[in-house]
Amino acid sequence: MNHPVIIAGGGPVGLLLAFDLGRAGVPSVVLEERAEHHSNEHVGTFHSRLVDVFTERGLMDELGEQPKWPALHFGMVWLDLSKLESEYNLLVSQTQIERTLQEQASKAGADVRRGHRVTGYSQDESGVNVQVNGPDGEYELRGEYLVGADGRDSLVRELAGIGVTRKGKSWYGILGDFASYDGEFEAGVRKGGVFGALPEGTGRWRLQTVEFDRDAPDESVPPTSAELMENIKRVTGEDKHVGDPLWIRRYVGTTQLAERYREGRVFLVGEAAHHYVPTASHGLNTGLNDAVNLAWKLTAAMQGWAPEGLLDSYHTERHLAGFRACQAAQAQMALIHPLDKVEALREVFEELVKVDEVNSKLATWSTDIEYPVRAEGDLPIVGHRVPHVALKTADGETSTGEALSAGRGVLFDLSQGAELGDLAGWQGRVDVVRAQPTEDLNAPALLVRPDGWVVWAGDDAESLSTALHTWFGEPSAN
């Protein structure tokens, strides 16, 4: 099998998966129907957990300095980011994300094929046969695993027989960038839906409308500035005049969540697994974290050390994340529409978000996920992503983020002498970093998976051994 992992879809999620696999030495082929990258500058928002992920991989350096968007909302009720310790939003264009990830994935060994579309597949006990339509015609690939990163209307999901649960209001939105605009900054709820006019700091303006339970034009009809002006009129009751867009796009849908993220040797990531109204760019963050979670587990399977149940844990953990993201999106729509029925609710909500704990919880609802890995008596940090904190070692200063940059698990030993047992059998899968204690971690030792999640904390050698076996398999012979 020349391509152990075949990835259907070459957007940011599929490309990050390919990069993570490649840097671990696992070959993959990415099949993307679009011959070219997105030509527009649609901007996505990186939240702090995702910035940590990209920093650990050296990808933030490749993206370069990015502007920070100082605001975040929940149902167009604005949150106070200044009260959060590390939450921030960086604005990164879809085109830049894709180009950077494709370049780095290719350097790591991924075979990225643009203009190639998956048309079908079959799977057996040992692998997957994938049919592809490329520029030179039809061909077939054989791989061990297939990952559907092929979006809302995923063919991979459909052929796997994986159903989706659809809930709540549908949405119809349109947004675009314009060289000029004769209005002022605005982002809020109107009687007909949501309207935003956002200056981008370069003289350009981003205009956006979102309506609920309204039919949209057929997706084959290109969106225009005239359509946007009609939508603005319906939403606000006001006439707004704009010229030709620098780019413009329409987005429609209904909240949907795949019933399962795995079917045998087939997995779903990104919008193939979950799709919801794009509030505050949580969709991008959720999808990219799907890729991070799945990559190291597929790596373990390909390298022959995956313990029983490891691949199944992908669904357990990321379906929970997808559910929470869909739940948050539906809650936000309930706060927005119909406005005449939710005005009192919004007034109460605006008071509640002034409470710091509420403000923090809503800001991190979809990004700070607790995986169900903590047992009774475990320290609170177990099940959460390890924060990026500075560490002092015998060799100098480092950080948790730097320690995770190798793409392996890490045991952070801050105990200054606890007997944690023989770790030699997991060499190559788990690195050991011994450092001075720090209140920022508040644990004598922590076992962290390659995706950054803490799965054990304490100073007991027996429970550490159990965690190592659970997540990193049987130790190799010394």
Side-chain angles (χ1 to χ4, degrees), residues 13 44 114 120-121 155 158 191 203 269 300 306-307 316 371 383 406 410 476:
V13 176
R114 288 195 167 271
Y121 69 85
L155 176 65
E158 178 184 346
K191 184 176 181 179
V269 295
T316 302
Y371 289 159
V410 181
S476 59

Side-chain angles (χ1 to χ4, degrees), residues 60-75:
M60 287 309 302
D61 291 337
E62 297 297 330
L63 287 172
E65 186 174 354
Q66 302 296 325
K68 183 181 291 189
W69 183 247
L72 186 70
H73 70 84
F74 191 96

Side-chain angles (χ1 to χ4, degrees), residues 5-8 17 121 123 128 144-150 154 156-157 160 162 260-270 272-273 294 297-298 301 310-315:
V5 180
I6 300 170
I7 302 169
L17 175 62
Y121 69 85
Q123 62 172 310
V128 185
E144 291 200 34
Y145 298 97
L146 171 65
V147 180
D150 51 342
S154 170
V156 171
R157 185 188 67 228
I162 298 175
R260 57 190 185 278
Y261 283 16
R262 180 187 185 187
E263 179 62 33
R265 292 180 170 271
V266 177
F267 297 84
L268 303 178
V269 295
L294 181 59
K297 295 173 181 178
L298 286 177
L310 184 66
L311 289 179
D312 285 335
S313 73
Y314 169 69
H315 165 82

Side-chain angles (χ1 to χ4, degrees), residues 62-107:
E62 297 297 330
L63 287 172
E65 186 174 354
Q66 302 296 325
K68 183 181 291 189
W69 183 247
L72 186 70
H73 70 84
F74 191 96
M76 300 308 296
V77 175
W78 294 96
L79 307 176
D80 187 352
L81 295 184
S82 70
K83 295 183 178 181
L84 304 182
E85 292 183 3
S86 62
E87 196 68 17
Y88 41 78
N89 301 326
L90 299 183
L91 302 180
V92 189
S93 78
Q94 176 94 354
T95 305
Q96 186 179 9
I97 297 168
E98 281 192 6
R99 290 186 184 279
T100 298
L101 287 176
Q102 178 168 330
E103 179 183 0
Q104 296 305 311
S106 298
K107 286 181 178 179

Side-chain angles (χ1 to χ4, degrees), residues 19 24 34 97 99 154 175 202 224 258 315 354 376 422 426 436 451 455:
F19 170 77
R34 289 175 293 120
I97 297 168
R99 290 186 184 279
S154 170
L175 76 163
T202 60
T224 63
H315 165 82
K354 295 176 183 178
E376 185 176 352
D422 184 6
W426 289 279
Q436 295 179 18
D451 60 352
V455 290

Side-chain angles (χ1 to χ4, degrees), residues 108-124:
D111 178 2
V112 182
R113 303 182 185 182
R114 288 195 167 271
H116 294 249
R117 177 172 58 90
V118 172
T119 58
Y121 69 85
S122 61
Q123 62 172 310
D124 52 44

Side-chain angles (χ1 to χ4, degrees), residues 26 99 183 221 234 291 303 317 386:
V26 176
R99 290 186 184 279
V221 179
R234 279 199 307 270
Q303 294 178 348
E317 295 173 356
V386 68

